[in-house]
Amino acid sequence: MHYQGGLTHQYWFVSVGKCSVIKCVQLECMNSNSMFFHLSLLDYNPKNGSLSDQLVSNNGDTELVMNTVIYCFRDFLSLFPNARITFTGNSPARDRLFKMWISKLNQEVLTDLLIVLDHLDDGGIIFYVSKKRVNLNHP
Amino acid sequence: MKSKEKNKTDFSAALQAAMEKAKDQPSPKLKKVEHLIPRMMDGLMALDQLS
């Protein structure tokens, strides 16, 4: 389920594992003049109606959640082909998990996306995503 | 089969309700990475040279 409010976009979905958790992929414009967006993967807390990046739902469906995030990249970049997306995990461990996931998919599935990693001194990783450009000068 | 359909409807209603409540909330995550924004902006600009 996609929602756009101003320069912010949200993709809502339900993570169905050990229990059902409502999640939100939120893309916020980082600069009102640009197509640079920051992505957050958030859990919806039904108790107080807030979005949190702190809840560790540990719902046993990491693969599905990762695939949904990839789906969001694709959908968003098809709507806004010139957009650039950046994100980072909640911890270096999460960053490594996402890096492994990307490496696993990269060869076959992510042929249309350019994903660049920027390693931080503390072990964290900043990820950058854009649509791959087609070079029309090449046959 | 009916149960699956009912789940879908339940999820859809729950998603709609959650979205209505939280649709205009800023991301708490973005606030936490404010110190990284200049580096992120540089990285995003550099993507143009690679894509």
Side-chain angles (χ1 to χ4, degrees):
Chain A
M1 193 178 284
H2 176 248
Y3 164 77
Q4 178 178 3
L7 296 172
T8 298
H9 295 257
Q10 293 175 327
Y11 289 88
W12 290 85
F13 63 99
V14 182
S15 153
V16 184
K18 293 174 210 158
C19 53
S20 300
V21 180
I22 295 179
K23 290 187 175 284
C24 174
V25 170
Q26 184 153 321
L27 290 132
E28 287 162 284
C29 194
M30 297 170 71
N31 175 334
S32 57
N33 301 322
S34 78
M35 288 295 273
F36 293 171
F37 289 83
H38 177 267
L39 179 145
S40 311
L41 176 60
L42 305 165
D43 283 0
Y44 175 72
N45 185 344
K47 286 181 189 160
N48 59 16
S50 69
L51 292 170
S52 170
D53 66 327
Q54 282 301 300
L55 301 176
V56 180
S57 43
N58 199 16
N59 206 19
D61 64 340
T62 308
E63 197 164 313
L64 274 173
V65 171
M66 297 284 198
N67 280 337
T68 307
V69 173
I70 302 283
Y71 166 84
C72 294
F73 288 150
R74 282 225 170 83
D75 187 74
F76 189 72
L77 291 171
S78 70
L79 290 172
F80 305 100
N82 293 323
R84 311 271 184 273
I85 301 167
T86 183
F87 65 95
T88 184
N90 283 340
S91 65
R94 285 273 173 116
D95 288 339
R96 282 196 298 276
L97 180 70
F98 206 77
K99 180 183 173 181
M100 280 194 299
W101 184 249
I102 287 171
S103 305
K104 191 176 154 190
L105 294 179
N106 214 6
Q107 300 298 319
E108 296 157 16
V109 183
L110 302 178
T111 49
D112 55 332
L113 300 177
L114 174 68
I115 302 181
V116 176
L117 279 56
D118 180 6
H119 292 264
L120 301 170
D121 291 339
D122 66 359
I125 302 169
I126 302 176
F127 297 84
Y128 304 103
V129 185
S130 73
K131 217 174 163 68
K132 265 188 193 159
R133 304 275 170 248
V134 178
N135 188 346
L136 297 175
N137 293 326
H138 282 276
Chain B
M1 195 67 166
K2 269 188 183 172
S3 168
K4 267 192 181 174
E5 283 301 314
K6 186 175 182 314
N7 270 348
K8 256 190 187 175
T9 312
D10 288 349
F11 286 152
S12 181
L15 278 173
Q16 191 70 42
M19 197 178 86
E20 284 305 320
K21 272 194 179 167
K23 64 184 179 187
D24 293 318
Q25 285 179 28
S27 163
K29 181 68 200 281
L30 186 54
K31 186 87 186 151
K32 282 181 195 161
V33 298
E34 257 177 359
H35 63 290
L36 291 174
I37 287 180
R39 182 159 173 170
M40 287 174 159
M41 296 294 273
D42 287 347
L44 288 166
M45 279 190 262
L47 269 188
D48 279 333
Q49 291 155 15
L50 297 170
S51 60

